[in-house]
Amino acid sequence: MKICERLFQLQDLDYRDFQSNLVPNISKENMIGVRTPALRNLAKEIFKSTSFSKKEEGELFTKEESDGFLNQLPHGYFEENLLHFFVISMIKDFDTCIQEVERFLPYVDCWPVCDQSSPKIFKKNREKLLPFVKKWISSEHVYTARYGIRILMNEYLDEDFKPEYLELVSAKSDDDYYLKMMVAWYFATALAKQYQASLPVIENRRLETWTHNKAIQKALESFRVSDEHKEYLRTLKLY
């Protein structure tokens, strides 16, 4: 069975209509309509029969079909891209995973594909990962930069945090809505996890006005930000 055929077997047209409203930059004709849990389960089946798996066999697909799917870029459907990134996230060797992520990032064309894949192997290799994160953030490709900021947010706002990382994100200026939203999301999370270090960026108005206000808004919506901090952040909104 071809992987695309399996995706159409899982099709839910009502869900496709709902999803297309959330991802306006992707044409509905390029969406099949497959729910995320079903895609993740399918990704597991594909991974079993790829060259990246020790098993190299699965119930649904041959090795040639699974490897062929990963090598066939660009994909035609939104769900194929999601599926591809879900499979990559299961690779257990760091160097191989990075190679596959870098090969795929130029084809990421929307926020759900960008935001839903977090390889587990990254957590065990943060020192090796950091140069790649910095390179991704500096990219002119919107979703490569967004991905880099998201990984920086996910992996480097706790014990591995350094104030210099705030500079990497605050210096990222772009008119694209999805990139600005990611910068705002990053700083809202930084205000929750590293309040004292990140507050000066807001106080000194280092971000563009829309991004500045959106970061404050998202921080005010967060249960991880204290009421005292929220009260002060409200005074920093720009009008």
Side-chain angles (χ1 to χ4, degrees), residues 101-167:
V101 168
E102 293 221 286
R103 188 170 71 89
F104 182 64
L105 278 175
Y107 299 97
V108 176
D109 57 0
C110 62
W111 69 264
V113 175
C114 178
D115 292 2
Q116 294 190 73
S117 178
S118 296
K120 293 181 180 179
I121 196 66
F122 282 3
K123 294 185 181 299
K124 299 178 181 179
N125 294 271
R126 291 193 181 104
E127 186 175 347
K128 292 173 65 176
L129 174 64
L130 188 59
F132 294 97
V133 171
K134 291 179 177 179
K135 181 176 71 170
W136 298 334
I137 293 174
S138 69
S139 173
E140 295 184 1
H141 180 241
V142 165
Y143 294 104
T144 297
R146 180 179 169 111
Y147 185 73
I149 296 171
R150 186 177 72 80
I151 296 299
L152 192 71
M153 179 180 71
N154 287 358
E155 304 295 345
Y156 300 92
L157 275 178
D158 293 302
E159 65 271 13
D160 291 319
F161 172 75
K162 292 181 181 179
E164 65 193 64
Y165 300 156
L166 301 170
E167 299 299 319

Side-chain angles (χ1 to χ4, degrees), residues 58-84:
E59 297 178 3
L60 294 179
F61 309 108
T62 65
K63 178 177 179 293
E64 288 73 20
E65 287 170 336
S66 294
D67 283 351
F69 169 75
L70 295 177
N71 289 323
Q72 187 178 0
L73 288 170
H75 297 300
Y77 289 103
F78 165 76
E79 287 82 2
E80 289 180 303
N81 280 332
L82 274 173
L83 198 56
H84 192 131

Side-chain angles (χ1 to χ4, degrees), residues 133-225:
V133 171
K134 291 179 177 179
K135 181 176 71 170
W136 298 334
I137 293 174
S138 69
S139 173
E140 295 184 1
H141 180 241
V142 165
Y143 294 104
T144 297
R146 180 179 169 111
Y147 185 73
I149 296 171
R150 186 177 72 80
I151 296 299
L152 192 71
M153 179 180 71
N154 287 358
E155 304 295 345
Y156 300 92
L157 275 178
D158 293 302
E159 65 271 13
D160 291 319
F161 172 75
K162 292 181 181 179
E164 65 193 64
Y165 300 156
L166 301 170
E167 299 299 319
L168 288 175
V169 182
S170 64
K172 192 66 183 179
S173 177
D174 195 283
D175 291 333
D176 185 88
Y177 169 83
Y178 294 102
L179 189 53
K180 291 194 297 183
M181 182 62 82
M182 186 69 245
V183 172
W185 184 12
Y186 175 88
F187 275 100
T189 307
L191 286 166
K193 292 188 170 186
Q194 301 290 344
Y195 181 78
Q196 295 300 331
S198 57
L199 182 62
V201 175
I202 304 300
E203 289 180 319
N204 295 327
R205 302 181 179 183
R206 296 282 306 282
L207 306 176
E208 180 269 334
T209 299
W210 184 93
T211 309
H212 172 102
N213 286 337
K214 184 62 68 173
I216 292 175
Q217 175 191 327
K218 293 177 83 65
L220 295 178
E221 294 169 353
S222 173
F223 68 89
R224 296 180 295 181
V225 177

